[in-house]
Amino acid sequence: MELLIIKSRDHYFRFQGDSYNTCPMNKASVFPMEQVAEVQVFKKKLENDGFADAAIYRLTIIEEPFLE
């Protein structure tokens, strides 16, 4: 499974409506690949707000059994 996330240096972002906050990775907003246009809009907003190095990252999730 692949998802999109936005990151700027050590900052991850959680988006709620038109606002956002920085957060740890496990609290960040993730988006399916089909929402790439929406993610690009969020990235542009961050750049306009001073996060010039904001970038979109692809997260790859691999599901496998947990063995103890």
Side-chain angles (χ1 to χ4, degrees), residues 1 3 5 15-16 18 20 28 40 44 52-55 57 60 65:
M1 171 185 267
L3 298 167
I5 195 167
F15 296 93
Q16 297 172 316
D18 289 335
Y20 61 86
Q40 290 170 332
K44 189 67 166 172
D53 60 350
Y57 285 80
T60 303

Side-chain angles (χ1 to χ4, degrees), residues 5-22:
I5 195 167
I6 302 177
K7 181 179 176 183
S8 176
R9 295 186 187 167
D10 294 333
H11 300 287
Y12 293 90
F13 297 93
R14 179 169 187 83
F15 296 93
Q16 297 172 316
D18 289 335
S19 64
Y20 61 86
N21 293 310
T22 58

Side-chain angles (χ1 to χ4, degrees), residues 21-61:
N21 293 310
T22 58
C23 63
M25 185 172 142
N26 67 330
K27 302 289 184 187
S29 296
V30 294
F31 304 89
M33 298 297 289
E34 297 79 29
Q35 290 183 340
V36 67
E38 181 179 351
V39 174
Q40 290 170 332
V41 170
F42 285 139
K43 178 183 175 285
K44 189 67 166 172
K45 178 174 179 43
L46 290 169
E47 290 171 342
N48 291 339
D49 288 351
F51 291 97
D53 60 350
I56 300 170
Y57 285 80
R58 182 188 326 239
L59 296 177
T60 303
I61 299 174

